[in-house]
Amino acid sequence: MRLLGLLGLCLLCTGFEWEGRLGRLEREFASGDARQRRDVVRLMAGYGASEVREPLLRALEDPDLEVRREAAVSAGRVQLRDAVPLLQEWLDDPEPDVRSVAATALGEIGDPRPIPDLVRALGDQNTAVRRAAVGALLRTGDESVTTPILGRLDDEDPEVRIDAAQALGQLGDPRAVVSLVGRARDESADVRQAVYAALGSLGDARAVSALVQALRDDAQPAQLTAIGALGRLGAARAVAPLRSLATGADARVSRAVIAALGAIGTDDALEAVAEAMGRSELRETAADVLAGHESDTLTAQLGTQLARTREPGQVTALATAIARRLARAPEASVAEPLLQALVAERGDASPLLEGLARSGDAEVVVPILEHLVAAASTGQPTDAALNALGLYLDLHPADGRAADPLLAILGEVPPNQRVHVVTLLGRVQAARALPNIRPLLEHPEADLRRAAAQAIGAIGDPEGSDALFPLLRDDDPQLRMIAARALGASMDARRLAEVFALAEDPAPVDRHALLVAIGGALHRGTGEMERYERGLQRFASGPDQPLAARAIDALATSAGPYAATALRALSTSGPVERRRMATLALAWHAADGDTQTLLRELSATGPAQVRLAAVAALGFAGPDVVPELLTHASEGAWPMPAVATFALVQQVRRQEAVSPETLAGLCGLIERRDAYVRANAMVALTLAGARCEGKRPQDFWGPAHAPMVRAAAARWLAATSENESRGVLERCAAEDLTPEVAEACSDPRLPAADQTAELHAYGADGRGLLRNRLVALRFADGAALVVHSDAGGRVIWPHAPRGRLRLDDPLRTPLQP
């Protein structure tokens, strides 16, 4: 029984689907009762149209009405074009439910042939049919449907009028503006709300007067929609009436006005937003608007506003907005007003210090350090100043002016803050701090011992390795690994020889930590490179697979000339798991001609897992492999398309100009229903700044799409449709309930890809490592690598984007619409 379970797991990991599953569904449909037939037809919606064509066409003529209706729903979901003629006939069925489901299915199929029949259905006596016809015509996206839908703005049923207004807003046809303005005084508040939203979507200045009038709408939901629509229109002449609303007693309306003024973005609009910070209940909203605005001059304007503001709460809110803006783009001119407010204690010190640190002014380190020393000497909290100093060092690495003040407070701050001080001493690379840091390696607090080891490694002084070397035998496994990384960053050739000798000694020792230290030293080009690389090759060939994975990692990052040769040998012989790990590690050496040749061979002829690893590594090979990657992405069996599309992301990132053939291939991949393929293709198009004919990012924004796809669509929209994206992304950032999507909408910029990503893959319980398992590593730019973790449960990848890493189970990710 256990053998069968393992077999099932292996089959899942290779994307295997039991042969005949669809055939069994067809047999169950033929022999089952009506209820069973409905269930079977519903399941068919999960397959491609070509696979279920025949059974679905039969189901559309089933004697049971409910089976036929379910078949129509499934035909729509799989976009079965062969079902169009029959569904067109259903539009004349006596039963309204049948006519309604037919119209909906025709809309989902997206075939233009039934447009005349759907236009006729707009006059159906049944409300549900008319509503379905409006939705179906909208989905066709054809320009010809605007005029017939306009006629439904006068429908007797308010629900139909609402649907018509929403459809016209989505169609984006300016011919609808006049008719929509005429409906801005509809007796139904819900209809008025839909009309206001549609006018905002159309972006036509002719709607401004009607929307300004709508600011006095008695129904607050409609009023709020009108406010948002004026913001989306960027209506400068609406600033004055909006500004008068901002002073009202209703905080909900005032917050909506602030968001609209921020979207309009003129100087007087932003001035009004800043003034709103005088009301405590509006400060958070105003700070969010000001922090996210794209104006190049706004940061300096806020600094001027800060200089003349005295109320502490308003100062704090302004400083918060400024600090958040500075996180995106430093602006040295605001350092002075921030410093004045800090010295005068006009607001909370934390955002003022953060703003100073992020300003880009190299001289702000002095007041930050003064604030730090003063707080430590008087027993005040130092967290804000320490955090600010860390942010300052992000912009000005290794500024030695911080060393002495940090040393001065090292013994005065509490132990938890001492960890932070020691970490910062490492970041400023203060070699003179070593005598003060070394004794902390024996401190009873584990966190402080670890921070001291990291700091010694960051300082990079070979003398520090004398203190680190004994820690390789410490009882704390985390400290052993930290010491190993620190040794790798600092030890000289003499110490490297000792560490390698210890690794080869048969005595019990943490060889994983030793190999990490050796790998770090070889990455820096320390010692007799080929000798140690050959030694790592021996470890990689041993029976201990987790230890072999560590050795392969060290060879991957080694700067020596023999590392690629060793990995090529490991990738072509031995157990499949080791071959796969070595092949993936060749990504670090894929620019080498011999390595690229081997990767291309392995991608075509190697075992399944090795082929996946080879295709992933080809992302860092020369651009001549792109046609092969496109073939793997479009024709390979799952999960090969996801891996190949990720490799294409790496290729596009490194190319100055992307060929039309590559862009056409990426646009075609967006049609794939695999969420990873679709998201990766969008990331590549975002990097290239390219659009696709007939496809818009907004088409992939619906709730049925996976969060990774919606986030990728947001970034793609921002990169290719600057004028269209602003209002859309602002609404998404404010309204989307999925953090991943809201973050992408809030800041759609792609991060730099200049770090090595390392992640331990844990199971859902957070404890068990997923060793040699298929996982999906999702990066901060939205790209996703479907890959097997190594024998130690790790995934390591070069040239990764900065930011958060996410881990998925690709076997649980559903197909996309």
Side-chain angles (χ1 to χ4, degrees), residues 93-143:
D93 194 276
E95 289 293 330
D97 286 351
V98 174
R99 301 197 300 275
S100 174
V101 76
T104 300
L106 287 168
E108 290 186 342
I109 292 171
D111 192 307
R113 287 176 293 172
I115 287 179
D117 298 291
L118 290 169
V119 169
R120 180 167 50 84
L122 288 174
D124 196 284
Q125 63 182 359
N126 183 271
T127 297
V129 177
R130 297 199 301 277
R131 296 186 66 187
V134 170
L137 288 169
L138 168 64
R139 291 188 187 95
T140 67
D142 194 284
E143 293 181 358

Side-chain angles (χ1 to χ4, degrees), residues 214-233:
L215 294 177
R216 297 195 293 269
D217 199 302
D218 294 334
Q220 191 178 80
Q223 181 191 33
L224 293 171
T225 301
I227 293 169
L230 286 168
R232 295 175 68 184
L233 288 173

Side-chain angles (χ1 to χ4, degrees), residues 207-424:
V208 172
S209 296
L211 290 170
V212 169
Q213 291 291 325
L215 294 177
R216 297 195 293 269
D217 199 302
D218 294 334
Q220 191 178 80
Q223 181 191 33
L224 293 171
T225 301
I227 293 169
L230 286 168
R232 295 175 68 184
L233 288 173
R237 60 192 174 100
V239 171
L242 285 169
R243 201 166 185 169
S244 64
L245 274 181
T247 60
D250 192 305
R252 186 180 180 191
V253 172
S254 297
R255 283 192 286 267
V257 167
I258 289 169
L261 289 169
I264 293 170
T266 57
D267 287 347
D268 56 341
L270 296 175
E271 181 182 344
V273 175
E275 288 175 357
M277 289 183 168
R279 289 175 60 181
S280 59
E281 68 271 25
L282 302 180
R283 284 172 186 156
E284 183 177 352
T285 301
D288 288 343
V289 168
L290 294 171
H293 200 276
E294 295 297 328
S295 168
D296 295 331
T297 60
L298 180 56
T299 304
Q301 293 171 11
L302 293 178
T304 302
Q305 179 87 2
L306 178 67
R308 59 175 183 256
T309 302
R310 295 294 178 267
E311 200 280 315
Q314 194 171 356
V315 168
T316 299
L318 277 167
T320 299
I322 290 171
R324 288 169 59 185
R325 292 185 62 80
L326 292 171
R328 301 202 310 267
E331 171 61 59
S333 69
V334 298
E336 184 61 28
L338 287 165
L339 180 57
Q340 290 175 358
L342 179 69
V343 172
E345 298 182 350
R346 294 205 306 265
D348 184 1
S350 181
L352 291 166
L353 285 165
E354 180 183 347
L356 281 171
R358 294 187 184 278
S359 69
D361 187 334
E363 298 310 312
V364 300
V365 69
V366 176
I368 291 174
L369 291 169
E370 289 175 348
H371 189 93
L372 174 62
V373 172
S377 62
T378 57
Q380 299 297 312
T382 59
D383 288 327
L386 289 170
N387 290 334
L389 183 56
L391 294 171
Y392 171 84
L393 292 174
D394 289 341
L395 298 176
H396 308 277
D399 191 326
R401 290 177 291 178
D404 289 334
L406 288 169
L407 281 169
I409 68 170
L410 181 58
E412 297 182 13
V413 296
N416 63 323
Q417 295 178 16
R418 202 175 304 167
V419 169
H420 203 162
V421 173
V422 170
T423 300
L424 290 171

Side-chain angles (χ1 to χ4, degrees), residues 138-185:
L138 168 64
R139 291 188 187 95
T140 67
D142 194 284
E143 293 181 358
S144 67
V145 305
T146 298
T147 300
I149 292 178
L150 280 172
R152 289 301 97 198
L153 287 176
D154 295 322
D155 195 279
E156 62 183 18
D157 192 294
E159 295 295 331
V160 179
R161 300 201 297 275
I162 291 170
D163 288 350
Q166 291 174 342
L168 291 167
Q170 293 180 54
L171 285 169
D173 191 330
R175 292 177 296 172
V177 172
V178 174
S179 296
L180 285 166
V181 167
R183 269 293 156 193
R185 296 185 179 182

Side-chain angles (χ1 to χ4, degrees), residues 480-489 491 499 510-522 536 547 550-551 553-554 557 758 794:
R480 292 197 302 269
M481 194 58 68
I482 290 172
R485 295 188 187 281
L487 274 168
M491 64 183 173
V499 171
D510 186 348
R511 286 181 175 76
H512 286 265
L514 294 173
L515 292 184
V516 167
I518 293 166
L522 295 182
L536 288 172
L547 190 64
R550 286 286 185 192
D553 291 345
T557 58
E758 181 173 356
R794 295 186 313 282

Side-chain angles (χ1 to χ4, degrees), residues 587-606:
W588 271 264
H589 305 274
D592 172 80
D594 291 339
T595 299
Q596 179 174 318
T597 299
L598 177 61
L599 287 172
R600 296 174 90 161
E601 292 176 1
L602 292 174
S603 71
T605 61

